[in-house]
């Protein structure tokens, strides 16, 4: 198979690429975010003979040039993170899209985009939404993003988290992980939400819940994890205290409005790597980390390998599934087959040196039956 990849170029991704090649695939790769490529990793892969188009801090134009170079290798399987590869393939190389056997998608925002394409009848091949597998969404997004986003904030600020009002925009998988870890470091955690059930879950977990306009007045550190745009705009920025930290860990840099910040600021200067201090007309300073892009990948190294192993095992097994079955499947967005999800969980437990119980035949009969009551 010829696999075209568009995924953060990190050490974990390098292991995934080596695994795909060890299984006999040809690969061509680009990064999926202008600020997340680890240049030493890209260089090492290039030295191994891999076709790779990625470097840190590339322009938007170069970013899409890299994706086009991957498309030029005519992949018959795609592996995407955020759906920029798939949308470019459909927009600029429509005939080629029809020839692709299948693809996988790594993140929540990408799965949303692909479902929207499928709904409009635009998606030309079948894609497995790896993000939605339990062994991915409930671990990578929660514990991976939880830890690595805090890591990014600390590396870019060297701030003490204890005692700070720490505002988390969105209490989904990522938001939940970040809120949990910020609380562990002693922060006073505030959650903002738009979904009543998610807001209620945050409240019952013991977090303060309020609209962003209220949180803006008291927060010290703000992080967005929604997949939505304009969560923090000029309106909220005007209410903020002097010295606050603003950052985002959602897929695209649209959650904290960088455009608004650039417009209302009188001046800016980089005070540490990945930490831009914006001074407003009244003298207040707001600090934007990693240009409002994913702070865990821009200012730190992304998730540790001990959680990416599960996500990438899902990726690998899903690609094998597509290689075998893809041609029989109709174009659309599919879930990771349940048995693969279970297999990955079982393998992970084994690598952690843990074993679990097995149902006896009697228990299987009991759980599956309705005859026995009080
Ligand atoms: N930084 C990373 O490494 C990383 C890892 C995984 C996912 N992501 C990205 O993070 C984002 C969130 O992913 P997730 O899996 O947590 O999604 P999710 O669907 O589980 O949660 C998103 C939450 O945000 C809430 N929300 C939406 N709009 C909002 C708004 N305007 N204000 C407040 N809350 C709002 C939703 O109600 C939902 O509860 C996506 O863009 C995803 O692609 C990033």
């Amino acid at each position: 198979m010829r696999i075209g990849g568009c995924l953060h170029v990190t050490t974990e991704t390098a292991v995934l690429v080596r695994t795909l090649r060890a299984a006999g695939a040809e690969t061509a790769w680009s990064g999926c975010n202008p600020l997340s490529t680890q240049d030493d990793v890209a260089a090492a892969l290039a030295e191994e003979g891999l076709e790779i188009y990625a470097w840190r801090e590339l322009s938007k134009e170069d970013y899409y040039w890299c994706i086009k170079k991957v498309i030029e290798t005519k992949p018959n399987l795609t592996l995407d993170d955020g759906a920029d590869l798939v949308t470019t393939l459909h927009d600029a190389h429509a005939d080629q899209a029809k020839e692709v056997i299948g693809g996988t998608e790594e993140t929540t925002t990408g799965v949303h985009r692909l479902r929207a394409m499928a709904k409009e009848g635009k998606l030309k091949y079948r894609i497995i939404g790896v993000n939605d597998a339990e062994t991915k969404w409930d671990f990578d997004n929660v514990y991976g993003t939880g830890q690595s986003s805090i890591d990014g904030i600390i590396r870019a600020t060297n701030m003490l988290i204890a005692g700070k009002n720490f505002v988390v925009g969105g209490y989904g998988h990522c938001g939940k992980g970040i809120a949990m870890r910020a609380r562990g470091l002693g922060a006073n955690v505030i959650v903002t939400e738009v979904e009543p059930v998610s807001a209620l879950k945050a409240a019952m977990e013991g977090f303060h819940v309020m609209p962003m306009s209220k949180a803006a007045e008291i927060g010290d550190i703000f992080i967005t994890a929604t997949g939505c745009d304009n969560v923090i705009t000029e309106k909220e920025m005007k209410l903020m205290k002097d010295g606050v930290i603003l950052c985002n860990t959602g897929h695209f840099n649209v959650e904290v409005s960088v455009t608004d910040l650039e417009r209302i600021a009188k001046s800016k200067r980089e005070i540490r790597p990945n930490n831009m201090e914006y001074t407003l007309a009244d003298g207040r300073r707001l600090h934007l980390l990693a240009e409002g892009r994913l702070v865990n990948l821009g200012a730190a190294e992304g998730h540790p390998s001990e959680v990416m192993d599960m996500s990438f095992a899902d990726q690998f097994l899903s690609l094998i599934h597509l290689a075998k079955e893809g041609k029989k499947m109709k174009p659309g967005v599919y879930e990771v087959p349940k048995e693969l999800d279970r297999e990955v969980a079982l393998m992970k437990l084994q690598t952690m040196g843990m074993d679990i119980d097995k149902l006896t035949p009697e228990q299987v009969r009991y759980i599956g039956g309705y005859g026995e009551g009080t």
Side-chain angles (χ1 to χ4, degrees):
M1 292 288 149
R2 282 188 311 280
I3 300 178
C6 176
L7 178 77
H8 305 291
V9 179
T10 64
T11 47
E12 292 76 19
T13 300
V15 175
L16 171 65
V17 173
R18 282 179 175 169
T19 309
L20 293 167
R21 299 178 89 202
E26 287 169 24
T27 54
W29 220 264
S30 74
C32 68
N33 185 286
L35 211 57
S36 66
T37 295
Q38 294 166 9
D39 286 339
D40 49 356
V41 173
L45 286 171
E47 212 170 80
E48 285 178 17
L50 174 83
E51 225 174 300
I52 179 150
Y53 305 95
W55 63 95
R56 191 183 152 95
E57 286 182 72
L58 36 62
S59 65
K60 191 168 177 176
E61 202 187 356
D62 286 342
Y63 174 79
Y64 279 103
W65 176 84
C66 291
I67 289 180
K68 287 203 173 118
K69 295 304 281 181
V70 170
I71 293 172
E72 278 171 19
T73 66
K74 299 210 165 17
N76 46 19
L77 288 174
T78 60
L79 191 165
D80 211 348
D81 184 341
D84 281 344
L85 171 60
V86 174
T87 49
T88 309
L89 189 60
H90 279 71
D91 289 346
H93 307 265
D95 288 346
Q96 210 179 308
K98 274 186 271 171
E99 305 304 317
V100 179
I101 297 171
T104 53
E105 170 52 52
E106 171 73 4
T107 198
T108 321
T109 287
V111 174
H112 285 179
R113 293 179 81 190
L114 295 170
R115 289 225 168 93
M117 278 175 82
K119 202 167 154 201
E120 286 185 17
K122 299 268 162 64
L123 191 61
K124 294 204 167 80
Y125 59 96
R126 53 305 283 164
I127 299 197
I128 297 184
V130 165
N131 178 72
D132 298 2
E134 276 184 282
T135 47
K136 199 280 181 185
W137 213 359
D138 289 345
F139 296 90
D140 168 323
N141 299 36
V142 180
Y143 304 100
T145 313
Q147 177 171 316
S148 60
S149 300
I150 302 267
D151 184 14
I153 294 171
I154 293 175
R155 289 196 205 193
T157 64
N158 196 27
M159 261 173 101
L160 186 75
I161 307 286
K164 295 289 187 323
N165 287 339
F166 192 103
V167 182
V168 183
Y171 193 73
H173 292 73
C174 296
K176 179 176 147 193
I178 299 162
M180 194 197 305
R181 294 298 174 247
R183 171 160 67 191
L185 287 167
N188 174 35
V189 179
I190 298 165
V191 166
T192 74
E193 251 299 336
V194 291
E195 283 297 333
V197 175
S198 307
L200 204 52
K201 284 184 183 168
M204 298 249 179
E205 197 51 51
F207 300 121
H208 302 281
V209 174
M210 60 184 80
M212 188 56 91
S213 55
K214 278 234 162 70
E217 293 174 354
I218 54 176
D220 298 302
I221 301 169
F222 296 81
I223 179 163
T224 51
T226 69
C228 182
D229 65 353
N230 294 319
V231 182
I232 296 178
T233 63
E234 172 180 359
K235 198 167 99 245
E236 289 79 26
M237 289 167 190
K238 287 198 164 148
L239 302 170
M240 287 177 180
K241 300 193 283 190
D242 179 33
V244 302
I245 304 294
L246 300 175
C247 64
N248 162 57
T249 202
H251 191 75
F252 289 118
N253 60 337
V254 293
E255 306 206 13
V256 176
S257 175
V258 185
T259 325
D260 282 5
L261 192 52
E262 291 274 347
R263 198 183 53 247
I264 64 173
K266 207 179 59 186
S267 63
K268 66 174 181 184
R269 62 179 180 140
E270 193 179 32
I271 56 164
R272 287 171 66 88
N274 300 306
N275 186 335
M276 190 67 82
E277 178 188 81
Y278 287 84
T279 304
L280 309 189
D282 61 8
R284 278 178 307 124
R285 291 154 304 170
L286 311 185
H287 301 101
L288 179 70
L289 309 187
E291 301 171 12
R293 300 187 188 278
L294 314 116
V295 69
N296 62 330
L297 283 139
E301 292 168 62
H303 306 356
S305 58
E306 293 96 330
V307 74
M308 291 315 295
D309 53 3
M310 283 196 278
S311 306
F312 288 171
D314 284 321
Q315 284 285 2
F316 185 71
L317 294 174
S318 297
L319 286 167
I320 290 180
H321 180 76
L322 285 164
K324 286 184 180 156
E325 309 290 334
K327 283 191 179 142
K328 292 183 228 155
M329 295 154 66
K330 284 203 189 100
V333 181
Y334 290 80
E335 291 187 355
V336 170
K338 265 277 155 256
E339 62 276 13
L340 295 190
D341 216 351
R342 255 190 120 243
E343 190 184 334
V344 171
L346 209 56
M347 271 195 283
K348 179 66 182 175
L349 280 170
Q350 279 165 6
T351 65
M352 293 171 85
M354 292 176 200
D355 204 0
I356 55 168
D357 290 326
K358 287 186 184 61
L359 291 172
T360 62
E362 293 76 26
Q363 286 174 320
V364 172
R365 264 199 304 281
Y366 177 82
I367 304 185
Y370 62 90
E372 285 182 59
T374 307

